[in-house]
Amino acid sequence: MSSPHGIIPALVTPLTESGDLLEDGLRDVLDFTIDRGVHGIFVLGSSGEIYGLDEDQKRRVVEITVEHVAGRVPVYAGASEITTRDCLRTARMIEEVGGVAGLSVLTPYFMTPTQGELVTHFREIAGGTDLPVLLYNNPGRTHVELSVETVLELAEVDGVVGLKDSAGDLERLRTILDARPAGFTVLVGLDTHILPALEAGAEGAIASTANVAPQVVSGIYEAYRAGDLTRARKLQEALTSLRDLVGRATFPLVLKEGLRIAGIDAGSCFAPAREIDPRLRTELTSVVESLAAL
């Protein structure tokens, strides 16, 4: 696997109101993001409502994504279940489908494993699949944090190739970046920290807002790489308004509504996620339209 880098949208999964997969909607979201400059695609994450998809739907999402992307960018997929056994089952399904460059594995949620249990968890997953594994740390949602020491211990495990960190702590991120072994990739998962993370040495971001404004999010990375920090800062600042709106409705409603405003039908979310305040929709329309003009 080439090292994950750049902007990789944490893709939504288009669904009907009853929770069936909208296959053409998924293809439309793939084209919308790829055509606007993203550097990879990530499916079956929390933005993709992995927690609600059944086994057949998960497989179909991966199949459609690999087929439709057709090598235009690398494809990554989540194997983020609660137990080690179920993570391995999903990982092996993804491996069977083929065409996926690597797995993202979130820490377990609902339970609160010790750091030692987390090390064993990730070791067993990395040892149970031939696909490269990205650790995923998102304590705000899981209430489980991979400590810096645990990340660095796991960075030495065969098959563990990197980290997506959504902790939102730049000092912690810098500590990992300074101490990581050669070849260990660090991606940020907090959309408001993309530029600071790049400046600290991160390779990119897995970003949910890249569903709605992929040209803005990928533009931060491209401007930074080109040395145009003025534009990179302008785009990062502009993205803040969208990121702030994401948390004001049940996740990931704002992402799907934002796509609808941008002209892409990403369908519904799993119930009970249904309601967006009309005032929020008005604000979102203004933000999406302003970002499209950048």
Side-chain angles (χ1 to χ4, degrees):
M1 177 182 74
S2 61
S3 179
H5 68 278
I7 300 304
I8 303 169
L11 217 69
V12 299
T13 303
L15 301 166
T16 67
E17 283 195 7
S18 60
D20 296 324
L21 180 62
L22 286 171
E23 296 192 359
D24 284 341
L26 177 56
R27 294 182 183 97
D28 289 344
V29 177
L30 288 166
D31 288 339
F32 180 75
T33 53
I34 293 171
D35 290 348
R36 285 158 181 78
V38 301
H39 306 90
I41 291 293
F42 170 56
V43 294
L44 301 187
S46 54
S47 298
E49 300 174 88
I50 185 177
Y51 46 80
L53 298 171
D54 64 31
E55 299 306 309
D56 290 339
Q57 288 175 320
K58 291 173 189 176
R59 177 180 286 272
R60 191 64 185 136
V61 166
V62 178
E63 289 172 344
I64 291 169
T65 300
V66 170
E67 177 185 347
H68 195 70
V69 169
R72 287 178 284 172
V73 296
V75 172
Y76 306 93
S80 296
E81 316 292 352
I82 296 173
T83 65
T84 308
R85 178 201 65 188
D86 290 345
C87 287
L88 281 166
R89 186 186 67 247
T90 299
R92 288 164 181 158
M93 175 275 289
I94 294 166
E95 193 171 4
E96 286 172 9
V97 172
V100 173
L103 302 174
S104 169
V105 181
L106 181 63
T107 57
Y109 36 101
F110 298 116
M111 65 173 74
T112 53
T114 66
Q115 294 300 302
E117 288 168 335
L118 289 170
V119 169
T120 301
H121 174 71
F122 283 104
R123 279 185 180 275
E124 290 188 9
I125 294 166
T129 175
D130 291 333
L131 289 171
V133 170
L134 284 168
L135 313 172
Y136 181 12
N137 183 52
N138 190 348
R141 291 200 177 274
T142 65
H143 305 290
V144 175
E145 182 162 26
L146 285 169
S147 71
V148 171
E149 294 75 17
T150 297
V151 170
L152 295 176
E153 179 178 351
L154 287 168
E156 302 290 349
V157 172
D158 286 345
V160 176
V161 300
L163 167 72
K164 175 189 174 184
D165 193 86
S166 297
D169 184 338
L170 285 171
E171 286 307 311
R172 167 196 154 89
L173 192 70
R174 291 187 182 99
T175 299
I176 293 170
L177 287 165
D178 289 344
R180 62 178 168 166
F184 186 78
T185 295
V186 175
L187 304 170
V188 69
L190 192 63
D191 300 38
T192 51
H193 284 181
I194 296 171
L195 181 56
L198 292 172
E199 291 176 317
E203 279 73 32
I206 297 179
S208 62
T209 55
N211 282 278
V212 180
Q215 75 288 352
V216 174
V217 189
S218 60
I220 296 169
Y221 178 81
E222 296 296 350
Y224 172 76
R225 294 277 293 177
D228 188 350
L229 293 182
T230 299
R231 178 160 177 77
R233 292 188 186 107
K234 176 183 177 181
L235 294 174
Q236 179 69 83
E237 183 177 350
L239 190 63
T240 301
S241 57
L242 176 58
R243 185 63 190 85
D244 288 348
L245 291 175
V246 170
R248 288 175 52 192
T250 305
F251 189 78
L253 277 172
V254 167
L255 300 178
K256 291 190 174 181
E257 187 63 27
L259 276 161
R260 186 172 292 108
I261 293 165
I264 302 296
D265 183 7
S268 301
C269 295
F270 283 117
R274 283 289 189 262
E275 298 179 3
I276 287 189
D277 188 292
R279 291 169 295 182
L280 175 57
R281 184 179 287 108
T282 299
E283 287 183 61
L284 182 60
T285 299
S286 177
V287 167
V288 171
E289 290 174 352
S290 68
L291 290 174
L294 291 176

